């Protein structure tokens, strides 16, 4: 089954983008209709994070999110298999991409929008120094090999794995590697702290504050949004006065800035994740 899926993705890599996106929309509709548990997670997240939005509006937003998830999944066909010229033509830099050329330790804050893989590919394709990514291993070996090959397609990619700890990452940052970091998921109570996220207490890994403090790195936000032409990779200016001496304040600030990025187009954030599954002691579960 996995072999057939990968073969289909290779075949689709030569299709026009509009046709790939049509298949992605159909997949998103199918997921909306059949993935009841994920639909429940998305609607719960939207209810918690957007209490002032009506239920009808949240349903529209949730359906749009599933469509975008399906499209971003099918886009791996051309991101990981199409010629470089095709990939480059569908990735558009916005904001201040020249910041990435600065010669200083740098952590790229790349939150989990549906275009995360496209943004990572764009950064890796254009970087003049190695770019480090933190991966979670896939359970299926064949799927793992395909994902690794796709994400490491462009030269200079340095994969690190979450179970290896942070020592290698810190050493790499000191040597000049860029770190493409996505610390906006609930990874459980271990090493997490509780800070607000869109009005809800959320277990959040404070790795952005810790790593930048250890190496004196700048934080540069990189938000990737799916568009009709491909993806926009929006590079912001480095954050001022970050990190501070207060790791809780830093992490709360990260979540507050993330909420601003989400507000631009809420359907593009990765709502299918159980962002609030870890609760402070004594609080009931939310899902």
């Amino acid at each position: 089954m996995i072999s057939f899926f990968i073969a289909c993705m290779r075949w689709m890599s030569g299709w026009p983008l509009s046709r790939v996106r049509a298949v992605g929309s159909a997949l998103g509709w199918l997921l909306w209709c059949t993935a009841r548990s994920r639909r429940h997670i998305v609607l719960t997240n939207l209810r918690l994070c957007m209490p002032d939005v009506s239920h009808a509006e949240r349903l529209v937003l949730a359906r749009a999110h599933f469509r975008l998830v399906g499209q971003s999944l099918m886009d791996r066909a051309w991101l990981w298999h199409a010629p470089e010229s095709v990939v480059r033509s569908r990735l558009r830099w916005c904001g201040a991409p020249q910041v990435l050329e600065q010669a200083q330790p740098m952590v790229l804050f790349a939150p989990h929008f549906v275009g995360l893989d496209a943004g990572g590919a764009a950064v890796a394709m254009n970087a003049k120094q190695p770019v480090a990514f933190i991966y979670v291993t896939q359970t299926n070996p064949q799927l793992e090999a395909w994902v690794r090959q796709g994400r490491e397609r462009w030269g200079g990619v340095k994969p690190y794995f979450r179970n290896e700890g942070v020592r290698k990452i810190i050493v790499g940052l000191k040597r000049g590697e860029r770190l493409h970091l996505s610390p906006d998921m609930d990874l459980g109570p271990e090493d997490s702290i509780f800070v607000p996220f869109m009005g809800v207490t959320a277990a959040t890994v404070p790795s952005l504050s810790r790593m930048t403090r250890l190496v004196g790195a700048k934080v540069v936000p990189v938000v990737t949004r799916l568009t009709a032409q491909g993806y926009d990779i929006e590079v912001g200016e480095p954050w001022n006065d970050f990190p501070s001496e207060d790791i809780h304040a830093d992490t709360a600030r990260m979540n507050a800035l993330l909420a601003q990025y989400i507000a631009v187009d809420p359907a593009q954030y990765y709502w299918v994740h159980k962002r609030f599954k870890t609760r402070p002691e004594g609080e009931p579960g939310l899902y």
Side-chain angles (χ1 to χ4, degrees):
M1 189 66 175
I2 296 296
S3 298
F4 177 72
F5 171 73
I6 294 173
C8 288
M9 295 293 272
R10 291 182 184 277
W11 175 52
M12 290 174 57
S13 67
W15 288 10
L17 181 59
S18 59
R19 189 182 300 176
V20 177
R21 291 284 172 81
V23 174
S25 293
L27 174 62
W29 176 82
L30 180 63
L31 291 172
W32 169 260
C33 294
T34 60
R36 296 181 60 184
S37 62
R38 289 296 164 182
R39 187 170 70 227
H40 170 71
I41 291 167
V42 170
L43 290 171
T44 300
N45 284 336
L46 294 176
R47 174 177 56 80
L48 293 169
C49 294
M50 303 178 187
D52 297 330
V53 174
S54 70
H55 178 67
E57 290 173 307
R58 289 197 293 268
L59 281 174
V60 171
L61 187 57
R63 291 191 188 100
H65 176 65
F66 273 85
R67 173 177 54 82
L68 290 165
V69 167
Q71 289 179 331
S72 66
L73 175 59
M74 291 297 100
D75 279 347
R76 267 68 165 189
W78 57 267
L79 274 170
W80 292 353
H81 299 292
E84 181 177 345
S85 58
V86 172
V87 178
R88 286 188 180 276
S89 71
R90 295 173 181 174
L91 303 178
R92 185 172 76 106
W93 291 94
C94 305
Q98 68 276 4
V99 170
L100 301 180
E101 300 176 6
Q102 296 178 5
Q104 64 185 89
M106 190 175 296
V107 177
L108 311 183
F109 174 55
H112 281 85
F113 286 76
V114 295
L116 180 62
D117 265 307
V123 170
M125 290 172 73
N126 290 274
K128 294 181 173 61
Q129 56 280 108
V131 181
F133 294 82
I134 301 175
Y135 292 152
V136 178
T137 304
Q138 305 291 323
T139 54
N140 182 286
Q142 193 174 12
L143 186 61
E144 166 69 14
W146 179 64
V147 172
R148 284 283 302 273
Q149 182 180 26
R151 289 178 173 170
E152 298 173 28
R153 180 181 181 187
W154 315 109
V157 171
K158 292 288 294 292
Y160 295 107
F161 296 91
R162 189 174 294 157
N163 60 355
E164 294 178 333
V166 300
R167 188 182 65 83
K168 291 182 180 179
I169 299 172
I170 296 300
V171 171
L173 275 170
K174 290 180 178 178
R175 290 176 178 170
E177 294 175 6
R178 301 296 196 229
L179 175 61
H180 191 269
L181 186 65
S182 305
D184 59 318
M185 284 196 163
D186 187 337
L187 301 181
E190 198 171 316
D191 296 325
S192 294
I193 61 176
F194 287 101
V195 292
F197 172 61
M198 299 188 76
V200 185
T201 301
T204 308
V205 179
S207 54
L208 191 65
S209 178
R210 285 175 176 163
M211 289 184 183
T212 51
R213 181 182 293 106
L214 284 171
V215 299
K218 285 287 188 181
V219 175
V220 176
V222 179
V223 176
T224 305
R225 303 187 194 281
L226 188 150
T227 69
Q229 295 74 38
Y231 291 89
D232 282 354
I233 297 88
E234 302 174 5
V235 182
E237 295 289 346
W239 292 352
N240 293 321
D241 305 317
F242 191 99
S244 69
E245 297 300 317
D246 188 336
I247 197 169
H248 281 78
D250 287 345
T251 308
R253 180 184 174 190
M254 179 192 80
N255 280 352
L257 290 169
L258 173 56
Q260 294 179 21
Y261 306 150
I262 292 171
V264 174
D265 190 349
Q268 300 236 9
Y269 191 60
Y270 201 66
W271 297 111
V272 293
H273 169 66
K274 286 185 178 181
R275 184 61 187 91
F276 308 108
K277 66 181 177 181
T278 303
R279 308 310 306 144
E281 187 174 353
E283 283 196 14
L286 297 175
Y287 299 99

